[in-house]
Amino acid sequence: MIKAGIIGATGYAGNEIVRLLLGHKEAEIVWFGSRSYIDKKYASVYQNFCKIVDAKCMDDNMEALAEEADVIFTATPQGLCASLVNEAILSKCKIVDLSADFRIKDVKTYEKWYGIEHKAPQFIKEAVYGLCEINREAVKGARLVANPGCYPTCSTLSLYPLLKEGLIEPSTIIIDAKSGTSGAGRGAKVDNLFCEVNENMKAYGVASHRHTPEIEEQLGYACGQEVLINFTPHLVPMNRGILVTAYASLNRETSYEEVRAVYDKYYGKETFVRVLDQDICPQTKWVEGSNYVDVNFKIDPRTHRIIVMGAMDNLVKGAAGQAVQNMNLMFNLAENEGLMQVPMYP
Amino acid sequence: MIKAGIIGATGYAGNEIVRLLLGHKEAEIVWFGSRSYIDKKYASVYQNFCKIVDAKCMDDNMEALAEEADVIFTATPQGLCASLVNEAILSKCKIVDLSADFRIKDVKTYEKWYGIEHKAPQFIKEAVYGLCEINREAVKGARLVANPGCYPTCSTLSLYPLLKEGLIEPSTIIIDAKSGTSGAGRGAKVDNLFCEVNENMKAYGVASHRHTPEIEEQLGYACGQEVLINFTPHLVPMNRGILVTAYASLNRETSYEEVRAVYDKYYGKETFVRVLDQDICPQTKWVEGSNYVDVNFKIDPRTHRIIVMGAMDNLVKGAAGQAVQNMNLMFNLAENEGLMQVPMYP
Amino acid sequence: MIKAGIIGATGYAGNEIVRLLLGHKEAEIVWFGSRSYIDKKYASVYQNFCKIVDAKCMDDNMEALAEEADVIFTATPQGLCASLVNEAILSKCKIVDLSADFRIKDVKTYEKWYGIEHKAPQFIKEAVYGLCEINREAVKGARLVANPGCYPTCSTLSLYPLLKEGLIEPSTIIIDAKSGTSGAGRGAKVDNLFCEVNENMKAYGVASHRHTPEIEEQLGYACGQEVLINFTPHLVPMNRGILVTAYASLNRETSYEEVRAVYDKYYGKETFVRVLDQDICPQTKWVEGSNYVDVNFKIDPRTHRIIVMGAMDNLVKGAAGQAVQNMNLMFNLAENEGLMQVPMYP
Amino acid sequence: MIKAGIIGATGYAGNEIVRLLLGHKEAEIVWFGSRSYIDKKYASVYQNFCKIVDAKCMDDNMEALAEEADVIFTATPQGLCASLVNEAILSKCKIVDLSADFRIKDVKTYEKWYGIEHKAPQFIKEAVYGLCEINREAVKGARLVANPGCYPTCSTLSLYPLLKEGLIEPSTIIIDAKSGTSGAGRGAKVDNLFCEVNENMKAYGVASHRHTPEIEEQLGYACGQEVLINFTPHLVPMNRGILVTAYASLNRETSYEEVRAVYDKYYGKETFVRVLDQDICPQTKWVEGSNYVDVNFKIDPRTHRIIVMGAMDNLVKGAAGQAVQNMNLMFNLAENEGLMQVPMYP
């Protein structure tokens, strides 16, 4: 039985890790870390766990936690994991970091976009970017996994086959993404109040969102060259779900069948990436509560562009689900253990 | 492995039975019945099942289905199950009927409130009202279970201990209930369009809703006398969730502790009924996607009334989850098999 | 041109007063008071007023404001108006207080339910409870109007004719109310975050909500005796709208026609109270953005109760609209000036 | 007093024309046309008009209507207006057609994208495309105005100054648009049920939406060359509001100030187009219920693209509001008469 500790267990992503691990046959939670709620019953913070979780919240003490846990999930703001991790900890247990601290290989890029100093640059090289479908083998051997951001997961998986096969021109990529509000976290901010979000829509972080360099780095690996993109996230009045609509110019004439074959080549055997039938557009509700990413594409012969769509649950495949998937790989478990929830509809 | 057939598999309740049975270790679905979508892939009607369910929809043929299935779920409009069932079918397989056809013992009451003639009154007496926490033993031996309505489930479980112990005066019961829109089904009606429901609220079926006699009958069993209530359902802009707020006059002075003890007496060992801590009001999201019913109460010393609240997911404990719970009882399986989904939040 | 000042202009009710006064032909706003946003452009706090309002926010200085304004609206938390008002101010300008400070005539009841000391009890007697349809003449002569609470407005208007005519037994009144989330204000609280409210429902303040004594006092005036009620508010995932469902036992046999005549007697000539046609249940969206209250009722011959329903926009008739209606009365303007917005649908 | 008739008065756009004309000082509605509800009270179809509109619905008889009305609004499906209009009618009254029948100058393009034969091609040339801010003078003299589509209105106004001034390369334009659900109309379709739309998001009509050629034609006029774009609409769980996010490559280095000056040049004196302050992203709620379009832009120096955003209420500026604005121009009234509703927030 793998012993798991969660630092940041009372955020939405932490709460979702708890939900998933409760249904995991090979793991148990030994530490519900939450600096804000120390000694409070976890189920009193999230009443959905009433009569299911009896534990109390504990401090975010990674040193102590490393003594008790086989794996630590850090579902905390940027900078915290980097400020706590050290060799002693990593020699005792594995870490899946849900923050951005170890996602970007170039520390200067990280520090520029995130506006903070990186406190543990010595671990950046070792850290594995935990996009399981693409870095599966590397994840298996990792001590420290950087769990990908929600937008980067959906964007990269949607575009990866096209870039890998050279079908699109990287400099033309535009990613227009839409997210439910749980991605904004549980902090008490006026902008995230029900009345401000409901019956409303907006773009935010235009030409400046911090997931941009992360996406660019991953797309760059796919096509073997530097990539600059436009990435625009939008806030939409729903709890869960990310929808990515990406645009790129085709490098040559192609057909539905050819592109479909490319997607099948990369995802045909993947459990969690579903390439939908022709002309079926992904909908976020079709993956709600599950670890699936649904993708599809449409070729526009008029403009010689391809439109690629991806939908997933930002709290599952975009955060907690992928974190558990990474844990499964790191501990040589079945990759889908604890992750076979059927999407809930409606 | 129990073979299950679903008649009405493309309604919201049918779709939810599919979701739950896919996670059930002892049952498999052999028949996705849907008259409207015969020969269409089930996963094309509900894309959430893409790459999960490969079957096609079949006709609503209960005779043929009885040859193949151990249990049939009828998730169909009132009257259909009663028009199809017969002794030959019941001798071959068990039936869990999610419609109202066999819930009400007095056929005249049924025919008056539902406005249709009952086509199989000979089975009404045999049918067991499948409110598992209350009729557990009877369900275990049943061939035909009448799966309770969503409002009656939540209302009855909320009030049952008080009536059973004689703490409240039955003639004073008023039930004000609120439901998400999935309870209205998947029929294409203007009243259920997004724009009509969103940012809107209304009562409906005031003093005339068909769940009224069902609730009255069950509450009557609890207190051993005829009960007449006011029951007012409301439509609320959300997908899932029923919230019941019930009012009744106390028969005598009592205390929080005494009433709490009464609830614990009846539900302390129940898996799916959670009596919340003092002063915590049930919220529908805390049970979303799960088979739990959360209940609590508040005594008002000023008016000598007690206010009782119950929250559940109308599609799970209010329909498909309870249907599976009934199946588990009927086949001597663990009652919670396939039903331990942790509520999804947010 | 009446000069109006608003203290608390950046709350939701304050913002709504601004919206309404901008369409008012006889009034102009001279002071946008907001302690939190002093010197910030009002339209930067509420971008809906971009290019419409050019003013900056000012301090909540009632003394200074009284020099400039003919009327002051206080859309502030309980206690503030009482702490600021004095005879000098009232001799210079009129006040419409949207807080509860002057709604309840018994200062002990106020202090008990609100848990604060009343700082200006000497004005309680003078203050007029501004439920225009009922206290119209008194409002006309008032210097200080206590603008009714949202729930009390909808509850009182719904039940008033029945009590006035002695048709119902006061001790049996139960009010089950549901409100959109704007009633909770614009404060940054976790409980009011989009993800906590959306797809969720709950009761709150059960048997303890502070609008209870206000409703009881007003209903008491209607029937000429002390009234104790049960009042349960619920939070519903929508921005605007209050729906009241009230229950009471009839004092005698009556008919639809008789009760309808009673409602018409009191509201037949009222602009803002619409008694709907038989069997049409009020819906909050039918009054959204307007000053209307829609009411209707249903007699249940089985239980000898009457179910009364009322729907209104909590920010308009339940706050800002009624405040403007009171201002119109106090200044001898047409009562409906600036208030003839047609409800917006959908 | 202008006499207005509405054909299709019971659709969402027709209903919104009614709302707006009720507040219009120079116009009155003489005909509520609705084939589906003939002889039914209009206010029984839309209860928001209870006690406000007393008329009954009438047949969609344009010949008869032309005798009574000065202006006819056709808020009907594609093809109807073209099938009814003739010279006799146009000689008696003006028409504002909210369908697509007269928006596209090339009849073949219309017939290809809409899949129907055009029944009155002889009026296409005469018809004026009623995008008031751009075609103001032509509208003033028109007998027949083609009221622009919702997406084209928001897209064209957002991009027009940039194209007119040659700042962007037309072939690089990508428009990613998001709409509330009222744009889908009031037809009873499963896809538009509350439970299907709520907590869900999807693209639709990818590379094939019928507003594409309309947008292309208008953008082409702006830059003086043929334009082919990618246009992707998305359905979002809200009632009202369109948000356009458009991308294009800049033709040369430019600055915020320069681009801002270009927007001010075209819109500085416009009442209904609001160019927001730097870095403020438009939000649909800031324009809800009003005729405003809020626009803004962001230059991305990394990719040499500009991101343009536009937000409006699809039922007002995107349909009924613009129709009334066109009527005002056609009858030499103040252009903003009846259209100065302040946006409603929240």
Side-chain angles (χ1 to χ4, degrees), chain B residues 196 199 216 239 302 345, chain C residues 196 199 216 239 302 345:
Chain B
E196 307 286 317
E199 280 291 295
E216 289 176 343
N239 285 3
R302 300 166 70 251
Y345 191 95
Chain C
E196 307 287 317
E199 280 290 296
E216 289 176 342
N239 285 4
R302 299 167 69 252
Y345 192 95

Side-chain angles (χ1 to χ4, degrees), chain B residues 162-184:
Chain B
L162 299 177
L163 281 165
K164 197 76 182 174
E165 298 290 318
L167 279 169
I168 56 175
E169 167 53 38
S171 67
T172 65
I173 295 173
I174 288 171
I175 299 175
D176 190 285
K178 301 91 182 163
S179 175
T181 307
S182 58

Side-chain angles (χ1 to χ4, degrees), chain D residues 22-88:
Chain D
L22 287 171
H24 195 289
K25 291 198 203 75
E26 315 269 357
E28 63 181 331
I29 306 170
V30 298
W31 189 291
F32 296 79
S34 173
R35 188 155 293 175
S36 318
Y37 295 98
I38 295 172
D39 284 337
K40 241 193 131 174
K41 283 194 67 172
Y42 186 71
S44 74
V45 182
Y46 284 105
Q47 293 272 357
N48 46 320
F49 296 116
C50 172
K51 285 182 68 176
I52 300 173
V53 172
D54 199 49
K56 289 187 174 169
C57 294
M58 303 182 71
D59 199 357
D60 291 343
N61 186 333
M62 200 186 272
E63 300 269 0
L65 177 44
E67 301 291 336
E68 298 192 23
D70 301 306
V71 60
I72 298 173
F73 295 95
T74 47
T76 45
Q78 325 306 335
L80 189 77
C81 182
S83 75
L84 294 177
V85 71
N86 58 45
E87 183 57 36

Side-chain angles (χ1 to χ4, degrees), chain D residues 217-230:
Chain D
E217 181 174 333
Q218 295 305 317
L219 298 186
Y221 296 144
C223 64
Q225 64 182 86
E226 199 187 347
V227 177
L228 289 184
I229 63 165
N230 272 105

Side-chain angles (χ1 to χ4, degrees), chain C residues 156-213:
Chain C
T156 307
L157 289 174
S158 296
L159 289 164
Y160 183 81
L162 298 177
L163 282 165
K164 197 78 182 172
E165 298 291 318
L167 279 169
I168 55 174
E169 167 53 37
S171 68
T172 65
I173 295 173
I174 288 171
I175 299 175
D176 191 285
K178 300 93 184 164
S179 175
T181 307
S182 59
R186 212 192 194 195
K189 295 177 188 165
V190 168
D191 279 356
N192 297 333
L193 290 176
F194 181 83
C195 289
E196 307 287 317
V197 173
N198 187 44
E199 280 290 296
N200 200 3
M201 250 190 306
K202 65 175 176 188
Y204 66 98
V206 180
S208 62
H209 193 277
R210 301 187 296 189
H211 282 174
T212 309

Side-chain angles (χ1 to χ4, degrees), chain A residues 158-173:
Chain A
S158 296
L159 288 164
Y160 182 79
L162 299 176
L163 282 165
K164 197 78 181 171
E165 298 291 317
L167 279 169
I168 56 174
E169 167 52 38
S171 68
T172 64
I173 295 174

